[in-house]
């Protein structure tokens, strides 16, 4: 997998998230994937468990935007960074914004077999009353 392949995978990741389609989600990951939503939580193990996890409490269509770019590739380790923005209920403004880093490893078929997300929430510019 090269830079262009990883970028295409990231675009498919965003599409799968947007669609909440179990086939699109599952196609991204190996059967034995280990997916950690953050570096401190236990990873979800296995494609079926991960698809179920993604679909447990899906984000509403149009309630967020996301963009991710390739940051680095070193051997079998692929790193992406980007932003996720959750919008207000009326979709007129950003409610919460996160900076994300994904650390991934892939199998020979281009499916992610290991995924860890690191993220930080943007602090509010002013403390609410």
């Amino acid at each position: 997998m090269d830079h262009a392949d990883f970028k295409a995978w990231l675009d498919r990741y965003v599409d799968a998230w947007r669609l909440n389609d179990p086939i699109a989600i599952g196609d991204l990951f190996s059967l034995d994937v280990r997916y950690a939503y953050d570096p401190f939580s236990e990873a979800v193990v296995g494609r079926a468990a991960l698809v179920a996890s993604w679909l447990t409490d899906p984000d509403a269509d149009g309630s967020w935007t996301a963009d991710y770019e390739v940051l680095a590739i070193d051997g079998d380790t692929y790193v992406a960074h980007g932003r996720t923005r959750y919008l207000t209920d009326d979709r007129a403004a950003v409610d919460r914004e996160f900076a994300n880093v994904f650390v991934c490893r892939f199998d020979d078929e281009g499916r992610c077999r290991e995924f860890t997300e690191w993220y930080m929430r943007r602090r509010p510019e002013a403390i609410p009353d």
Side-chain angles (χ1 to χ4, degrees):
M1 175 174 276
D2 63 14
H3 185 283
D5 294 330
F6 186 35
K7 176 58 176 141
W9 186 90
L10 292 167
D11 292 343
R12 289 178 35 232
Y13 179 95
V14 172
D15 288 342
W17 181 11
R18 182 175 293 111
L19 295 169
N20 288 314
D21 176 64
I23 293 171
I25 298 164
D27 192 48
L28 294 167
F29 301 99
S30 67
L31 287 173
D32 61 347
V33 63
R34 296 185 56 79
Y35 187 105
Y37 287 99
D38 65 73
F40 301 107
S41 298
E42 189 68 30
V44 176
V45 178
R47 183 189 293 164
L50 178 56
V51 170
S53 175
W54 268 39
L55 297 175
T56 297
D57 187 22
D59 293 317
D61 188 34
S63 68
W64 57 273
T65 65
D67 53 275
Y68 306 111
E69 297 294 331
V70 175
L71 181 62
I73 299 173
D74 185 15
D76 72 342
T77 303
Y78 297 77
V79 182
H81 71 103
R83 296 273 194 259
T84 305
R85 295 167 187 92
Y86 289 93
L87 307 175
T88 55
D89 290 341
D90 65 2
R91 312 296 195 254
V94 174
D95 179 55
R96 296 164 293 157
E97 181 176 9
F98 296 86
N100 311 90
V101 172
F102 301 159
V103 179
C104 307
R105 290 189 172 85
F106 290 85
D107 66 16
D108 293 336
E109 296 176 1
R111 288 190 172 89
C112 186
R113 62 181 174 80
E114 189 176 318
F115 181 104
T116 303
E117 181 173 1
W118 301 72
Y119 62 89
M120 178 170 280
R121 184 174 179 175
R122 179 187 291 269
R123 293 187 180 118
E125 293 181 20
I127 298 174
D129 293 335

